[in-house]
Amino acid sequence: MATTWFKIALSAAQVAANHISRIQDAFEEVFIAAGSPDGVAMFGVTNDDWGDDLYFNPAAAELAELLLKANSAKRCVPPLDEGTLALLVGHPGSHRLLSS
């Protein structure tokens, strides 16, 4: 199983063009098709420049490998849970997957 987090960085223009919803919907379809497994989550945070970063935990990255490649996802360190990350896809309580 993968142990690396991945991030898709979206510019403010991409956010305005609704890329978040497109990526979130595509990931949700994969998530549901896989039986909505526990321990799989997608998080998002808005940056100071109005862009957004979308984070995929290792299990989510494994599940959505093609989606991540298609959207130029990059390996990243696990995001810190500073209260600004929103759970976009996953089970309630998935914030436990984040670093604190």
Side-chain angles (χ1 to χ4, degrees), residues 48-65:
D48 293 337
D49 65 1
W50 298 106
D52 270 45
D53 290 334
L54 305 177
Y55 292 95
F56 299 80
N57 75 316
E62 189 172 295
L63 192 66
E65 183 179 353

Side-chain angles (χ1 to χ4, degrees), residues 5-6 9 13 16 20 23 26-27 29 33 51 54 62 65-66 71-72 78 87 92 95-96 100:
W5 282 73
F6 281 82
I20 294 172
I23 294 168
F27 180 70
E29 285 180 23
L54 305 177
E62 189 172 295
E65 183 179 353
L66 295 176
N71 288 280
S72 303
L87 175 64
H95 276 87
R96 74 184 190 291
S100 54

Side-chain angles (χ1 to χ4, degrees), residues 34-94:
S36 303
D38 192 36
V40 172
M42 172 185 168
F43 299 93
V45 64
T46 301
N47 300 316
D48 293 337
D49 65 1
W50 298 106
D52 270 45
D53 290 334
L54 305 177
Y55 292 95
F56 299 80
N57 75 316
E62 189 172 295
L63 192 66
E65 183 179 353
L66 295 176
L67 176 67
L68 297 181
K69 284 182 182 179
N71 288 280
S72 303
K74 305 287 185 216
R75 292 174 185 261
C76 68
V77 297
L80 291 176
D81 186 7
E82 298 177 331
T84 57
L85 286 164
L87 175 64
L88 302 178
V89 178
H91 295 283
S94 290

